[in-house]
Structures are given as structure tokens and as C-alpha cells.
Amino acid sequence: MMESVKQDILYNHENELTDLLQNNSILSITDKYGRIIYANDRFCEIIGSNRNNIIGETHELIKSHLHTDILYKKLWKTIKSGEVWKGVLPNKLVDGRFYWLETTITPVKDENGDISRYIAVYNDITDYYNKKGTIKMVDPKGKTLSQNFLNVDLSINSFGKILKAKNKILNTSIDDVVGLYVYDFINPVSHNVVKKQIKKVFNESESSEFETIEFSPKGQQTFYVSKIEPVYNNHNEIIYATIVTKKLRKDLKIKKELRHIEAKYSTIFQSINVGIIVVTDSKGNITEWNKGAESAFGYTEDEVIGNSLTMLISDQHLITSVKELLKAKNHLNENKNGENLEMIGLKKCGQEFPVEFSISNWDNGKEKFYCAMMLDISNRKKLENKLKQKTEDLELFLYRSAHDLKAPLTSAEGLLNLIKGEDINSNVKLLTTLLDTTLERGKLLVDNLSYASAIQDKSKETNTINFKKVIDDTLKTLSGLKNFESIKFEITINQLGIFYSNKELINSIFQNLIHNAIKYSKPISNDHTPIIKIEINQSENKVNITVKDNGIGIDEKCIGKIFDLYYRVDNEQEQGSGLGLYIVKRIVDDFNGEIKVKSEQNEGTFFELTLPNFIKN
């Protein structure tokens, strides 16, 4: 009984100890080959990886480029001998940040006395290293090869180990560096390059050079070049290599090249006088301005540099334009493609003029800049307005012409009805029937012309649309058409909420599409049933409409022409005015919608429309 109580107490203490380590320590366990078999949450958090991704992987934490291979050889030698290793291990995260861990690695032996795993407990001391300034990628004394070994002749072996040194080392004893490795004094990003150069010297018996960059506390760059040369014995064998580092005046060369490039850029930039180019900083203040901009807006460079871009925007359109500019800026910051924008510019003299422009951006490492490339579109706008006026005049002419033609057609229809009431022979009856058909076609053409001319005005009027009623009314109107009774209609309507549009124009869309599907259907037979499928799916902001038939279809070469004015598909049995699908396309375009058509001869035709919901506020 007492033994059982002792075991329970021991078990509870072990659980408490485990919880304590879990919650307050950074902990990992590897097998005897160095593969991770356990890692707690804090360990996963600090290395920025999921536990499932690291279990079974080699323990990369104890292999950092901030130390030479010798450190890790000593580490493994210690723990494999069964002893505890203590020290500081740095590592680099995926995002480029370094962290430093005070580490204790303890070997665990099995019942046979063999090492079965290693338990590593870490303490994050990165903040301490940052405060002490020792986070720099150098040896513990803070010396770098470039800064402290200028003109010093170091002798190294093929592993980069320093064997001896000549000349005086700045603030350093020669004994302090002999036995260390050159990698302890080189920026880690250059380790692989230097290793390749040393390998080249020893394997190919050739001299080699590499360059390094060091940064001052203020971020100033200094360039250094290190030259490695082989040293031979009497048997022409390489016994070691010498490495000498000198300061390189590359920074001056780069500055000179940058000034040259800047001068060239400035010359080209200022010479562009066809387009308007304005560059701003991230706050929207103008930083650059070409001659084209000066000519367009009337300001000199001195008058605009440092001022806000808004000084070039019409006060009347300022709020709208700023919103569009901010939207374009956000798109660029999210790496999305920018769109062409239109804005009303304001000249120095107070005159307004339209400009079209696109925006690009770039980052110089410290700040983002935005470039607006503009084009004065005053002439284009004049032509657009003139074309709009001509279109309105043409539509008015069509409307009045159609209205004027209705009167004689109506009179002719009345006279024909009088003739029908008379006692006439069979030949005259046949002629009156032909005249009746001709008048019907004439009236249909006049109605379509009148309708086509009034689409733009009608599209501005909106009503609530009940799609079920629209379909019912349309089928009732078309019920007198030839072949109507033999067609099977399959109708699906999913209307959610209220849909706003012009009722008359919506009716026209369905009448023309369904009329065409009926007119070009194939006759019913033992192996064919003519079917017209109508499907309507409405969401909050739009409606999707499809009309599909299994009729005679449209030749592929005609698909691109069916929406053209007066275009008619050749068909001996059926003739039309060539205005039906033109009217449908006009309505869809005026609604800023979209229409697509697919067709295959003897298989049928498929129309798909998307129309916006003109929701009332």
C-alpha cells in the first residue's frame, strides 16, 4: 500500500515537472541521429514552423552559418561522449531575423547504457544580445575580417582555419586569432562564396578574390576585397594559402555611376514633352514634373514641386477624383494591375480639361513613389460628344420616320379590310392575303425601328420586375406563332428579392430571344421534340438569364454577325427584319450587361445574359 502511494506521488511530480517544462521552457528531443522526435509549442513558435513539419527532420538549429564547423564538431563530440553541452546557438528565421538561444543539450541513455536520445532546453536571450550590440555577425570580440585585418597577411588551410598572421592587427593580439576560422569574421551571406574561393585555390592552384560589404552603425557601406593566393613547398604542393584584405573604393565608383545614370534619366525625363508625367511621393506631394506637364497645366517646375497633386484637379471634381486616386493607389500596393482613369484637370489659368492617365509605383527602399502618365483627351472628348449628338439625331430621325410611316400603313390596312368585306373572287382574296402579310411585316419593321430609337431613353426608367409574369406574358403574346403548340417549354425561375429594371425593355429581350427560338425550331417528329429551356437566377446585384433551344442552330461563320443591324441568317422558310437581336444587344449594352451566344448547326442555340439590378436607394 505504501509503495503504491509512493508511485502515485512520483507520478504526480513527474506530471508537474513535465507541465512546468512545457509551459516555461523551449524544449526539443532528438534521436541519436539528430532527428527531431518531439518539440513543444514554444520551440515551434520560435522557429516559425508547425510541429508536423519538423518531426523527423534533422535538427537545423544546431547547424548555424554564424559559427564554423569546428563548433559543431565539438558539440557533437561532447554529447556523443555522454557529457552535457552548454553554449549559445544562433539561427536565422525565414523572414531574415536572427535569434539567439542559451542552450543545454543532455544525452539520455537507455537501460544498456547506450545514448538513445538528446534533450535540448533553450533560453531565448535575443533581447539581451540586441541590447549589448553583439547580434552582429562577427566573433564574440566583435572583430570583422574586413575592418580589423586590413593589409594583414593571414595564412589559412583548406578549411579556412587561421594558421598564422603577419603585420600588426588592429586592437587584437595575433594569438587571439590563430586557431580560429576566417568564417568567424565574415558576413554569413558570404560564407558559401568564400568557401568556393578557398576550395578553388587549393584544388586548382589559382589565386582568387572575393568582395565583402560592411555597414557602419549609421548604415553607411564600405567595400572590401580579399585576395587569396596559394603557397607551395619544395615539391610544388600547396601547404597553405595567404589572404590579404584591402578597402575598395567601390563606393565612390558606384556613386559616380549613379550620378551618371541620374543625369541620363533626368535628361530623358525632361525631354519627354508629348505626354504628361507627374511623380509624387507616398503623401501625394509632387517630386518630379516634365515639360509635357508644364505645357499642359501652365505651371513651372518651381511652382509645383513639393505641392499636393490636388492642385492639378478641378475643385468641382476633387472629391470623386481623390477617391479614384486612393483606390488606384491601394490596388498598386496590393500588387494588382492598375486601370486607366479619367480626371478633370485644372490649369493655372483656371481652365478645366479632361485627362486620361495610368499610375505606376516603385520603392527605393525608404519610400514609395507614384508616377501618373497623363494624356490630354480634350480632342477625343469633343469627338465623343459630337458622335453622341449624331447618334441622338439619328435615333430621333428613326423615331420620327417610323412614326410618320405608321399613318400610311394604317390607312392601307383599313382599305384592305374594306376590300375584304366586299364580294370578291378567289384571285382577289389571294392578293388581299398576300397584302395582309406584307403590311404585317411593314408594321413590324416600323415598330422595331421606333423601338430601337427609344432604347436609350427607356433604359433610364426603372420598375420592379416579376420574371414569372414577364415569361407568362411573353408566351401568351407569342402563342399564335407557327409551331408554338408543338414546343415543350422548360422554365426555371429563382428570384430572390426585388429586381429593378425597365419593364418594357426586359419584355423586349425575352420576346426577341424566345421568338427566335420558336421561329428556328425543328418540326416535331417521332425522334425529335422541340424544347426551349428558359432559366432565370437572380442574386442581390444581378440576374443571369439563359435561353436554350434544340433547333436548327446557327452556322459558326455567322455567330459574330447576328447582333449586327439588319443582319438576317439565310433561311428559306423564315424571314425577319434583322432588328430583333440588334435590339437585344443594344438593351444589354445600355444596361452595362453582358450577352454571350453559342450555337451548333442542327443541335441548337444557347444565349446567356447577365444584367445588373438597378437597386433604388
Side-chain angles (χ1 to χ4, degrees):
M1 181 69 177
M2 183 64 69
E3 185 64 29
S4 175
V5 172
K6 287 181 179 180
Q7 287 180 355
D8 288 342
I9 293 172
L10 182 60
Y11 177 79
N12 290 333
H13 279 303
E14 286 178 349
N15 282 344
E16 289 175 1
L17 180 60
T18 301
D19 291 340
L20 186 65
L21 287 172
Q22 279 275 23
N23 299 325
N24 298 285
S25 298
I26 303 167
L27 179 68
S28 69
I29 302 176
T30 60
D31 63 16
K32 61 182 180 180
Y33 301 108
R35 294 172 299 197
I36 298 175
I37 59 176
Y38 172 79
N40 72 345
D41 292 339
R42 291 198 63 199
F43 179 92
C44 296
E45 182 181 345
I46 198 166
I47 68 171
S49 182
N50 185 282
R51 182 180 288 107
N52 294 330
N53 294 333
I54 61 176
I55 296 299
E57 297 294 328
T58 303
H59 203 325
E60 288 295 328
L61 181 61
I62 54 175
K63 181 59 179 174
S64 166
H65 291 298
L66 293 185
H67 285 301
T68 55
D69 292 340
I70 193 68
L71 181 142
Y72 300 102
K73 288 178 182 177
K74 288 180 180 179
L75 184 155
W76 280 106
K77 183 178 179 180
T78 302
I79 61 177
K80 281 188 174 183
S81 66
E83 298 178 11
V84 176
W85 182 90
K86 293 184 179 181
V88 176
L89 292 178
N91 204 8
K92 186 177 183 180
L93 294 173
V94 177
D95 61 6
R97 291 182 293 111
F98 280 90
Y99 59 89
W100 299 69
L101 299 177
E102 187 176 48
T103 307
T104 301
I105 303 177
T106 305
V108 178
K109 297 180 180 181
D110 59 18
E111 55 191 15
N112 298 321
D114 298 322
I115 296 174
S116 61
R117 59 189 183 275
Y118 301 99
I119 298 177
V121 180
Y122 314 89
N123 180 29
D124 187 358
I125 57 172
T126 303
D127 290 341
Y128 169 79
Y129 263 68
N130 281 327
K131 290 176 182 177
K132 299 294 288 184
T134 51
I135 196 68
K136 297 178 181 177
M137 295 171 285
V138 296
D139 76 311
K141 295 183 180 180
K143 305 175 184 66
T144 66
L145 180 68
S146 305
Q147 294 169 337
N148 292 302
F149 296 150
L150 286 176
N151 303 314
V152 175
D153 191 342
L154 298 176
S155 298
I156 61 172
N157 65 13
S158 59
F159 300 104
K161 186 175 182 179
I162 300 172
L163 305 175
K164 59 181 179 178
K166 295 180 181 179
N167 303 334
K168 184 179 179 181
I169 302 175
L170 180 63
N171 299 324
T172 307
S173 169
I174 291 177
D175 293 337
D176 289 339
V177 298
V178 172
L180 298 177
Y181 289 76
V182 292
Y183 306 111
D184 290 318
F185 306 94
I186 295 174
N187 192 316
V189 297
S190 303
H191 280 184
N192 288 335
V193 174
V194 177
K195 283 181 181 180
K196 288 180 181 179
Q197 301 307 317
I198 292 177
K199 184 177 179 181
K200 178 180 178 182
V201 170
F202 280 89
N203 291 347
E204 301 178 16
S205 300
E206 292 182 3
S207 299
S208 185
E209 288 184 351
F210 65 89
E211 295 181 7
T212 55
I213 305 173
E214 300 296 342
F215 295 87
S216 71
K218 294 183 178 180
Q220 294 177 332
Q221 296 178 343
T222 305
F223 297 85
Y224 299 89
V225 60
S226 299
K227 187 173 184 179
I228 311 172
E229 293 191 45
V231 177
Y232 305 90
N233 60 15
N234 293 334
H235 302 289
N236 204 30
E237 297 172 338
I238 299 176
I239 53 175
Y240 59 87
T242 61
I243 178 169
V244 178
T245 301
K246 295 183 179 181
K247 186 181 289 187
L248 182 67
R249 303 306 294 171
K250 190 173 182 177
D251 52 344
L252 296 178
K253 181 181 178 182
I254 290 176
K255 287 180 181 178
K256 184 177 180 181
E257 290 178 353
L258 286 174
R259 282 197 296 269
H260 178 68
I261 293 171
E262 185 178 351
K264 186 186 293 185
Y265 158 78
S266 180
T267 301
I268 295 173
F269 181 83
Q270 291 297 333
S271 65
I272 299 175
N273 52 20
V274 176
I276 305 167
I277 304 177
V278 182
V279 179
T280 74
D281 58 20
S282 58
K283 297 178 182 178
N285 296 322
I286 300 170
T287 60
E288 293 190 69
W289 167 272
N290 77 328
K291 288 184 178 179
E294 184 175 318
S295 174
F297 288 96
Y299 292 99
T300 64
E301 187 176 33
D302 292 337
E303 289 175 312
V304 297
I305 297 299
N307 289 313
S308 174
L309 180 67
T310 55
M311 71 180 294
L312 307 178
I313 304 174
S314 166
D315 293 339
Q316 187 177 353
H317 303 87
L318 184 59
I319 296 176
T320 304
S321 298
V322 169
K323 285 182 179 178
E324 289 297 318
L325 287 170
L326 290 174
K327 182 180 177 182
K329 176 184 175 182
N330 292 335
H331 272 235
L332 288 172
N333 291 341
E334 295 170 3
N335 295 320
K336 296 179 181 178
N337 294 328
E339 300 177 353
N340 286 347
L341 304 174
E342 286 190 12
M343 182 180 76
I344 302 299
L346 182 66
K347 297 186 178 184
K348 182 180 179 180
C349 63
Q351 180 183 348
E352 295 181 352
F353 70 107
V355 292
E356 182 182 67
F357 63 98
S358 61
I359 300 178
S360 59
N361 68 339
W362 71 90
D363 193 333
N364 69 353
K366 295 181 180 179
E367 186 178 5
K368 277 194 174 182
F369 291 87
Y370 298 85
C371 178
M373 301 187 69
M374 305 182 187
L375 188 66
D376 185 342
I377 56 172
S378 299
N379 292 332
R380 191 180 82 187
K381 283 296 181 182
K382 288 179 182 178
L383 289 173
E384 287 178 357
N385 292 334
K386 188 178 292 186
L387 179 61
K388 182 180 179 181
Q389 184 60 48
K390 292 292 183 183
T391 302
E392 290 176 355
D393 292 345
L394 178 60
E395 289 178 346
L396 181 61
F397 171 76
L398 285 174
Y399 179 79
R400 288 180 176 175
S401 298
H403 185 269
D404 291 344
L405 284 170
K406 279 185 179 181
L409 286 173
T410 302
S411 298
E413 187 178 25
L415 292 172
L416 186 62
N417 288 331
L418 290 174
I419 294 174
K420 288 179 182 179
E422 297 294 326
D423 186 13
I424 54 178
N425 59 38
S426 59
N427 289 332
V428 176
K429 283 184 178 180
L430 177 62
L431 289 173
T432 57
T433 302
L434 293 174
L435 283 171
D436 207 5
T437 302
T438 301
L439 282 173
E440 282 297 322
R441 288 178 180 172
K443 286 172 64 182
L444 178 62
L445 175 61
V446 170
D447 288 341
N448 281 335
L449 285 173
S450 176
Y451 207 86
S453 66
I455 287 174
Q456 190 171 14
D457 288 335
K458 291 180 182 294
S459 65
K460 298 173 184 177
E461 304 169 7
T462 59
N463 326 98
T464 57
I465 305 297
N466 183 328
F467 284 106
K468 184 179 184 307
K469 188 174 187 310
V470 170
I471 297 298
D472 291 344
D473 290 346
T474 300
L475 294 180
K476 185 177 180 181
T477 302
L478 300 175
S479 60
L481 290 177
K482 178 182 177 183
N483 298 331
F484 182 88
E485 295 297 332
S486 65
I487 293 173
K488 179 182 178 182
F489 289 92
E490 296 180 0
I491 301 169
T492 304
I493 301 174
N494 297 310
Q495 184 169 5
L496 303 175
I498 301 175
F499 190 84
Y500 291 96
S501 192
N502 182 274
K503 188 179 296 184
E504 193 173 350
L505 297 183
I506 292 293
N507 285 336
S508 178
I509 288 175
F510 281 104
Q511 282 193 23
N512 279 294
L513 291 179
I514 298 173
H515 183 276
N516 264 26
I518 296 170
K519 184 167 65 173
Y520 294 109
S521 63
K522 291 190 290 188
I524 190 171
S525 64
N526 292 333
D527 56 356
H528 177 76
T529 300
I531 299 174
I532 296 177
K533 295 181 179 180
I534 303 166
E535 186 171 346
I536 300 170
N537 291 295
Q538 182 210 324
S539 61
E540 182 181 356
N541 299 317
K542 63 183 179 180
V543 65
N544 183 264
I545 301 167
T546 59
V547 177
K548 183 179 181 180
D549 64 64
N550 61 348
I552 64 176
I554 305 171
D555 192 339
E556 184 179 357
K557 65 182 180 182
C558 301
I559 289 289
K561 304 176 183 178
I562 61 172
F563 296 118
D564 292 349
L565 183 63
Y566 293 126
Y567 181 79
R568 289 176 292 187
V569 178
D570 293 333
N571 188 286
E572 294 179 358
Q573 287 75 33
E574 300 293 344
Q575 293 184 356
S577 65
L579 285 172
L581 291 180
Y582 167 78
I583 289 173
V584 171
K585 184 68 165 61
R586 274 289 312 277
I587 294 171
V588 172
D589 287 346
D590 275 8
F591 282 167
N592 290 321
E594 186 178 7
I595 183 169
K596 298 177 183 177
V597 59
K598 296 179 182 178
S599 187
E600 187 175 344
Q601 283 190 301
N602 296 318
E603 295 294 330
T605 303
F606 175 79
F607 285 92
E608 181 179 13
L609 294 81
T610 302
L611 302 175
N613 187 356
F614 296 112
I615 301 172
K616 293 185 177 181
N617 296 325

